């Protein structure tokens, strides 16, 4: 827990990381690797800088010149130890230290690079600690005192000092007291040298001493250390190597990848790998019941009392005073404040405990060493932690913990109980007003925005839990619960009620009329229950997510005005309280934040889903709750009947609208007055008491989706990504004066649409040439701007032609989505250019292409021919439908029924729950009536949880409502919701066809459920028990800003990497990494992306060890930020395995591959192309180890998967055939190689054409295999001619002396059982014409591999060929017996043909074995473009580097 010295904004706005150099020239890249170390370490232990470091691990790359033909410098070196302690080793190169952008070259052969302009210079400063010791820090004049405090807080020597002052001594001997918010440069110039720091103890107070105790407890716990599974695998591998160091040969265990795929549920427990061992220092440390100190003791300085029990069993009562901690004489229930004898006193609690207990001293030292040995990223806390859907099993015992109990006594729900509450809105807006002209200023601004936003999300999440648990009182308690509003911790909370389920007819005959009728009833109920206003109603106009607008407008009209309100308006009022509108509001808020128009402000916002509820959290506009800011300057409060307008406000909105492709247009209010708007009508522009202009209720910042007409789809809007793509397509079409896109997008007459579009500008008529020139100049063209208020109930002004043109443009954008974007996306899915693994990655892919999730049904229909895509789409539709039903069930459940309701739902969902006994028919009828559009009076009263719990006599019936649900009914509801929401008909066998584990995982993540990681019998009627449910966690959506500059650098770096420009790519990714380090810290998924691409660059440059270091960082970040089983985490393990294999650490590589297959099985199941690609990589690993039987098993399994999932003519299927061809080539089975390569060639010709480079490469491989087969035949003939005469003489001699054969056989009996068995097998096999399947020497594994190859070849109808076994490997006796038996049992003209064939194939086998990897390298070089998709370029890309390593060694 970092020390917080102030509650103001400055406490987290001061720079804590080095600003990135603003010079366009990148910093020089040294030879060797840089070391990311913990902050504030002493010289004796990893001196450096921690969270402030911006250095990036580098390899043998230079920003000026890079030898792209570099070979790996670690020839099979071991890097596992470097992963466990965060340091990086490089052969023949010392470890460099990187501190805040400073890089030092360690290779004297390179030219010393010049310091880049703007690079930060660091200076050594010695620090004298409170204990009298010394350590050294590397500081910059721009460092703040808060920076120094953070460095000292991370250093092992000073981590337990929290209350002290810093005094700076210069070389002249003068001393300067450093304030907390000063920079060093403001006090003294440290560049002159001779400066030192001294930690001087300060006095404790009530707050600081409690912070000190909390910090001490934090140091005694390993809860802040998150050890990566990759680190544990490396430690296991290192331990295995040490145990087998004396062994002559270490057997690599076979990977049970296929077993994982067959038993996924049995592998759930393997996901939760136990981390580090527990290190005990104390038995207990609690706040004493003597607290608070009596008044007479306060007068002498007593602040706190602690009870301590050491590991030796001794009990102490410790007094904390303003100056120190000491042991008092209290032994019973009476306080004795006198110091105990012998007296023990120390300025810190840790120091006192070290004096009291030798075991504590030893354990604390071991604990600090353990934390220091971990990777630095494993000690960094994530500001936005992710939820885990699996918990440890067996469930750990819940032990007594007094400290935990004390923290749970007060229900703060995110609020700070001491001091003033944080003003979230003021902090956020103040950060946005920071100057951002230079790069340094933008870094400070972005970091402050990110930190404040993350803190707001955390506080909003805790507050929402308090709201849902009814621990926070509402502002309007007299209103219905779903209209309640809350203010807590300066955050405004309101409910978003999901009304979609009540609009679905679960008898599969839903109609729009029934939905309109029910919406009218719901709004009527709202009106009657909201007639009494509370003090919170002043805020009604600032949040569009809780239905206050409809209540206000209905109240203003009077009781009799309801009949005059049209059904569409009523539905619109209900829609504002739905999940969809809150999602749209969040997206609109993020869009205007990214537009970043000076003077236009938005509120901090987060959406929290918890226990079936959706709560919208927003920062509070200054003065809004006090009625000081109720003036609406822009937009409408009553759905367009009256519109407010302000010129200054409009100018700011217009500037943002141009960046968002929104058009300025005319809107009429209820009286016919015209207003110019550049935003949705229902938006609200309000000026707060701080004189800032706030824009709220941005639920429609993009136009409506014309593909979904009807009043019920009013809030179905297009995504911003689609608008940007459509605008680019329109600009390209206009500038080139072509109509291809128009013809592809719409079926309407192109000329008419084109004329209307060109005439849609405000200036009147503009020619096509003028329009194109405007676009070319970069100014926003009128045709590229869309009207967000068309196709709605609002009245538009202007000419009819202009309105028609705006409508046609929106329809054109919708048609562009349907006819261009959607087919292109499906095409990318089929080509595996986009390869989603689960529902979340599919959703991310849809959004990145500008496609809404409501099109999921259409995507499923278009990918029906691909089983894995069909499964992912249908499973996602099922999960999303089930999610809404489960949330509705949770809202209707009492607190003590939550666990039972979830368990029953999962059993209905996965198992087979039947109706209960004789009441089955009644239950069935009840549920059918409850979920139809025509609801009974009982079900109509169940619109909210408040009605259920506090309604008249309803609680008794609702208490067991979840028990009425059956599997049949649940799946009928799911089918009905899928039909209503996604226009998708689930098949009759959808219930049987779902992938159970991926579906359970997906549903748990969407609802926030955590279950035990045990083996489930998913075929049972009720596979889940109440004890399997561990927790229900909040699921959060937020508007935390991203670092756009870093993402731009990454996009440019990707382009350079694709072009093969490694120098430029490395510099760009390094700059992005350094930038993100300063803005977000290391725990961010964008930082993980930078590490992944840096690893790729280092690997392609030949530095595999450096690539492993970067990949390990990505693994740690992905596990912490995305989850242990996220598909990106799985791919990280796959890439890590490839890199380890590149360093010839195959055992460790296979451990990572096993982890990869486990994670893939959880996210996608066994049937996915990425699983097949992983099998290919595993097969290549075994192929390099010589285990051809295992390699062929994985390759053939991959081939089966690709043929079943993608088809027999897909390019990935061709990759499998090519991999098989290479494997058979390594075994000397050239005919099989030729057959598989011909299949590869046929597929490539059909898919790519004969002129494609990959097709020509395959053709060259065919020629190579043919040539090798011809060479084999020639050698056979030569060998037969040479050995024929001598073989015939030997046969004649033995035939004449048969007693010699018996003597040979008798002699073989004395050579042992193995020799006897070998000789007899040789004789028997020769007698029956079977070739001996044996490998080199006595290696029976190779023999089994050869036998398996022959069996598989025969099964596939291929020509059988003799064994490719070296003849010299057989015993001399076996040679002779083979000759005898061949001559005895054959009448051929060449009796020694069998021996000659074996001799020939032996030479062929030895030749192919010696260069088998090289052959595969040629395959990589020639077929690089069609390597397996999913886990990088595949194993084959590593072989060339491995071969160089072996050659060099």
């Amino acid at each position: 827990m970092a020390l917080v010295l102030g509650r103001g904004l400055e406490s987290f706005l001061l720079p804590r990381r080095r600003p990135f150099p603003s010079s366009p020239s990148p910093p020089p890249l040294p030879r060797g690797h840089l070391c990311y170390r913990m902050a504030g370490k002493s010289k004796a232990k990893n001196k450096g800088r921690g969270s402030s470091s911006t250095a990036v691990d580098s390899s043998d790359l230079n920003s000026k010149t890079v030898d792209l033909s570099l070979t790996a410098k670690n020839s099979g070196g071991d890097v596992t130890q470097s992963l466990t302690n965060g340091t990086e080793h490089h052969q023949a190169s010392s470890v460099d230290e990187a501190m805040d952008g400073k890089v030092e070259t360690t290779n004297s052969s390179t030219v010393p690079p010049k310091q880049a302009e703007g690079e930060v210079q660091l200076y050594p400063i010695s620090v004298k600690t409170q204990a009298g010791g010394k350590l050294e820090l590397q500081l910059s004049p721009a460092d703040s005192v808060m920076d120094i405090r953070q460095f000292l807080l991370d250093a092992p020597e000073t981590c337990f000092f929290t209350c002290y002052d810093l005094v700076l001594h210069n070389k002249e001997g003068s001393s300067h007291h450093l304030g907390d918010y000063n920079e060093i440069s403001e006090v003294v110039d440290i560049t002159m040298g001779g400066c030192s720091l001294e930690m001087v103890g300060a006095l404790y107070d009530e707050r600081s001493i409690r912070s000190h105790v909390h910090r001490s407890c934090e140091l005694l716990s390993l809860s802040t250390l998150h050890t990566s599974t990759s680190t544990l695998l490396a430690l296991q591998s290192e331990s295995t190597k040490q145990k087998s160091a004396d062994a002559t040969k270490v057997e690599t265990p076979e990977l049970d990848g296929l077993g994982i795929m067959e038993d996924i549920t049995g592998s759930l427990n393997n996901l939760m790998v136990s981390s580090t061992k527990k290190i005990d220092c104390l038995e207990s440390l609690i706040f004493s019941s003597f607290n608070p100190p009596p008044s007479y003791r306060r007068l002498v300085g007593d602040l706190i009392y602690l009870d301590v029990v050491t590991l030796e069993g001794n009990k102490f009562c410790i007094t904390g005073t303003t100056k120190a901690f000491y042991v008092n004489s209290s032994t019973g229930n009476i306080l004795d404040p006198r110091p105990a004898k012998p007296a023990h006193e120390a300025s810190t609690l840790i120091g006192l405990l070290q004096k009291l207990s030798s075991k504590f001293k030893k354990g604390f030292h071991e604990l600090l060493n353990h934390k220091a040995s971990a990777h630095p990223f494993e000690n960094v806390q994530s500001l936005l932690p992710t939820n885990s859907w699996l918990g440890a099993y067996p469930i750990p015992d819940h032990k007594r913990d007094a400290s935990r109990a004390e923290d749970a006594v007060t229900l703060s729900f995110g609020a700070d109980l001491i001091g003033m509450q944080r003003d979230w809105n003021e902090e956020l807006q103040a950060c946005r007003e920071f100057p951002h002209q230079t790069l340094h200023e933008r870094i400070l601004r972005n970091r402050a925005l990110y930190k404040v936003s993350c803190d707001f999300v955390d506080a909003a999440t805790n507050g929402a839990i308090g709201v849902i648990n009814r621990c926070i009182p509402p502002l309007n308690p007299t209103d219905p619960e779903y209209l309640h509003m809350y203010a807590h911790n300066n955050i405004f909370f309101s409910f978003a009620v999901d009304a979609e389920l009540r609009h679905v007819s679960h008898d599969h005959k839903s109609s729009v009329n029934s939905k309109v009728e029910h919406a009218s009833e719901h709004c009527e109920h709202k009106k009657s229950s909201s007639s009494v206003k509370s003090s919170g109603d002043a805020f009604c106009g600032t949040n569009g997510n809780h239905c206050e607008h409809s209540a206000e407008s209905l109240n203003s009209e009077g009781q009799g005005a309801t009949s005059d309100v049209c059904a569409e308006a009523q539905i619109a009022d209900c829609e504002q309280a739905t999940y969809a509108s809150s999602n749209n509001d969040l997206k609109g808020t993020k869009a205007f934040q990214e537009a970043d128009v000076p003077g236009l402000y938005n509120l901090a916002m987060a959406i929290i889903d918890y226990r079936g509820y959706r709560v919208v959290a927003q920062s509070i506009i200054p003065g809004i709750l006090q009625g000081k800011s109720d003036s609406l300057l822009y937009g409408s409060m009553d759905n367009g009947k009256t519109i407010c307008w302000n010129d200054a406000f409009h100018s700011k909105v217009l500037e943002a609208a141009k960046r968002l492709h929104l058009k300025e247009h005319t809107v009429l209010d209820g009286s016919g007055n015209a207003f110019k708007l550049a935003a949705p009508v229902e938006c609200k522009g309000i000026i707060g008491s701080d004189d800032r202009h706030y824009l709220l209720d941005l639920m429609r910042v993009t136009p409506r989706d014309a593909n979904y007409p009807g009043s019920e789809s009013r809030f179905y809007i297009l995504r911003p990504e689609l608008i940007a793509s459509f605008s680019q397509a329109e600009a390209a079409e206009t500038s080139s004066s072509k109509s291809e896109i128009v013809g592809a997008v719409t079926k309407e007459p192109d000329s008419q649409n084109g004329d209307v579009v060109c005439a849609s500008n405000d200036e009147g008529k503009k020619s096509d040439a003028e329009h194109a020139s405007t676009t070319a100049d970069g100014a926003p063209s009128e045709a590229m701007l869309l009207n967000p208020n068309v196709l709605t109930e609002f009245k538009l002004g202007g000419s009819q032609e202009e309105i028609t043109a705006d409508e046609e443009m929106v329809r054109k954008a919708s048609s562009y989505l349907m006819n261009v974007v959607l087919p292109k996306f499906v095409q990318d899915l089929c080509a595996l250019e986009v390869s989603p693994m689960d529902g979340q990655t599919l959703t991310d892919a849809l959004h990145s292409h500008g496609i809404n999730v409501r099109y999921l049904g259409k995507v499923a229909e278009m990918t029906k021919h691909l089983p894995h895509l069909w499964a992912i789409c249908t499973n996602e539709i099922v999960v999303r439908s089930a999610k809404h039903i489960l949330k509705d069930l949770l809202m209707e459940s009492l607190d003590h029924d939550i666990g039972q309701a979830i368990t029953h739902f999962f059993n209905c969902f996965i198992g087979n729950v039947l109706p209960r006994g004789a009441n089955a028919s009644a239950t069935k009828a009840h549920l059918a009536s409850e979920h139809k559009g025509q609801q009974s009076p009982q079900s109509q009263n169940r619109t909210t949880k408040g009605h259920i719990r506090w309604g008249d006599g309803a609680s008794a019936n609702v208490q067991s409502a979840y028990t009425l649900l059956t599997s049949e009914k649940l799946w009928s509801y799911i089918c009905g919701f899928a039909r209503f929401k996604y226009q998708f008909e689930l098949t009759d066998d959808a219930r049987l066809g779902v992938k159970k584990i991926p579906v359970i995982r997906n549903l748990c993540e969407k609802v926030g459920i955590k279950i035990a990681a045990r083996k489930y019998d998913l075929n049972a009627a009720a596979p889940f028990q109440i004890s399997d449910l561990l927790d229900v966690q909040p699921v959060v959506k937020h508007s935390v800003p991203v670092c756009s500059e870093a993402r731009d650098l990454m996009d440019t770096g990707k382009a350079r990497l694709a072009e093969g420009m490694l120098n430029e790519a490395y510099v760009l990714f390094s700059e992005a990494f350094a930038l993100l380090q300063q803005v977000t810290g290391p725990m961010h998924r964008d930082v993980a992306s930078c590490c992944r691409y840096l690893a790729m660059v280092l690997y392609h440059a030949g530095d595999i060890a450096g690539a492993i270091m970067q990949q390990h960082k990505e693994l740690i970040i992905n596990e912490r930020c995305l989850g242990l089983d996220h598909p990106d985490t799985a791919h990280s393990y796959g890439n890590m395995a490839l890199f380890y294999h590149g360093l010839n650490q195959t055992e460790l590589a296979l451990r990572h591959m096993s982890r990869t297959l486990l994670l893939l099985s959880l996210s996608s199941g066994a049937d996915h192309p990425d699983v097949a690609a992983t099998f290919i990589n595993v097969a290549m690993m075994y192929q390099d180890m010589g285990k051809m039987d295992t390699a062929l098993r994985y390759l053939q399994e991959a081939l089966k998967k690709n043929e079943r999932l993608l088809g027999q003519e897909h390019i990935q299927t061709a990759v499998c055939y090519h991999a098989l061809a290479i494997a058979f080539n390594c075994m000397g089975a050239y005919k099989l190689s030729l057959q598989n390569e011909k299949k590869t060639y046929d597929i490539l010709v059909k898919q790519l054409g004969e002129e494609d480079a990959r097709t020509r490469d395959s053709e060259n491989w065919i020629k190579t295999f043919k040539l090798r087969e011809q060479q084999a035949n020639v050698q056979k003939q030569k060998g037969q001619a040479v050995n024929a005469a001598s073989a015939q003489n030997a046969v004649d001699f033995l035939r004449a002396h048969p007693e010699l054969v018996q003597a040979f056989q008798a002699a073989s009996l004395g050579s042992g059982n193995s020799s006897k068995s070998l000789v007899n097998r040789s004789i028997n096999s020769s007698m029956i014409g079977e070739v001996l399947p044996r490998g080199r020497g006595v290696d029976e594994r190779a023999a089994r591999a050869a036998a398996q190859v022959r069996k598989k070849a025969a099964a596939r109808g291929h020509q059988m060929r003799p064994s490719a076994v070296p003849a010299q490997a057989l015993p001399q006796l076996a040679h002779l017996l083979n000759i005898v038996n061949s001559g005895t049992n054959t009448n051929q003209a060449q009796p020694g043909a069998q021996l000659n064939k074996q001799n020939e194939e032996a030479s062929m086998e030895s030749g192919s074995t010696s260069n088998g990897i090289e052959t595969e390298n040629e395959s990589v070089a020639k077929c690089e473009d069609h390597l397996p998709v999913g886990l990088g370029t595949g194993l084959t890309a590593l072989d060339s580097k491995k071969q160089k390593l072996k050659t060099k060694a």
Side-chain angles (χ1 to χ4, degrees), residues 850-969:
I851 304 173
N852 305 86
V853 178
R854 59 178 171 270
Y855 287 92
L856 194 56
K858 292 182 173 59
V859 174
E861 293 293 345
M862 299 171 70
T863 57
K864 201 169 184 177
H865 61 287
L866 296 177
H868 73 284
L869 293 176
W870 169 263
I872 291 176
C873 293
T874 54
N875 288 347
E876 182 67 7
I877 291 175
V878 168
V879 168
R880 286 180 174 270
S881 302
K883 175 190 70 173
H884 287 277
I885 300 172
L886 177 56
K887 286 183 176 181
D888 190 57
L889 184 67
L890 291 177
M891 290 180 65
E892 295 180 356
S893 300
L894 299 173
D895 289 346
H896 59 270
D897 284 336
I898 292 293
Q900 292 286 357
I902 295 176
T903 304
H904 182 78
F905 180 89
F906 271 83
N907 287 330
C908 293
F909 186 50
I910 299 298
N912 185 20
V913 178
L914 301 176
R916 291 187 175 183
N919 295 327
S921 59
T923 301
K924 192 172 184 181
H926 174 76
L927 287 177
S929 62
E930 178 182 347
H931 287 274
K932 287 186 179 181
Q934 300 175 350
Q935 295 182 342
S936 63
Q938 267 189 335
S939 62
Q940 289 180 6
N941 289 333
R942 288 192 193 166
T943 54
T944 66
K945 196 169 186 176
H947 293 157
I948 293 173
R949 287 183 174 165
W950 302 295
D952 296 334
S955 59
N957 295 330
V958 176
Q959 184 174 2
S960 59
Y962 69 89
T963 60
L964 303 177
L965 188 65
T966 63
S967 297
E968 181 182 356
K969 279 300 172 184

Side-chain angles (χ1 to χ4, degrees), residues 803-879:
I803 296 175
T804 303
D806 290 347
E807 292 179 352
E808 289 299 326
M809 182 57 68
V810 172
R811 289 192 175 93
K812 188 176 182 180
S814 302
S815 183
Y816 175 78
L817 167 62
M818 180 67 73
N819 299 330
V820 176
V821 176
L822 203 57
K824 179 60 170 60
F825 176 73
V826 173
Q827 180 182 355
D828 292 343
L829 287 176
C830 298
L832 296 183
E833 294 183 12
V834 178
S835 182
M837 296 293 301
D838 60 357
Q840 185 57 51
T841 51
L842 175 62
T843 302
D844 295 340
L846 287 169
H847 289 170
S848 64
H849 285 76
I851 304 173
N852 305 86
V853 178
R854 59 178 171 270
Y855 287 92
L856 194 56
K858 292 182 173 59
V859 174
E861 293 293 345
M862 299 171 70
T863 57
K864 201 169 184 177
H865 61 287
L866 296 177
H868 73 284
L869 293 176
W870 169 263
I872 291 176
C873 293
T874 54
N875 288 347
E876 182 67 7
I877 291 175
V878 168
V879 168

Side-chain angles (χ1 to χ4, degrees), residues 498-524:
D498 190 357
E500 286 181 342
L501 282 180
R502 295 191 292 271
H503 297 162
V504 184
S505 176
H506 294 291
D507 60 352
H508 305 168
K509 298 178 181 179
S510 177
S511 63
V512 176
N513 293 332
S514 63
K515 185 171 181 178
V516 171
E517 180 181 356
H518 179 73
S520 303
E521 295 174 358
H522 183 65
C523 290
E524 181 67 25

Side-chain angles (χ1 to χ4, degrees), residues 241-256:
K241 287 184 179 180
Q242 291 177 357
K243 291 180 181 179
S244 58
D246 299 333
T248 57
K249 183 178 181 181
V250 180
E251 291 291 337
T252 302
E254 182 173 337
L255 175 65
D256 189 24

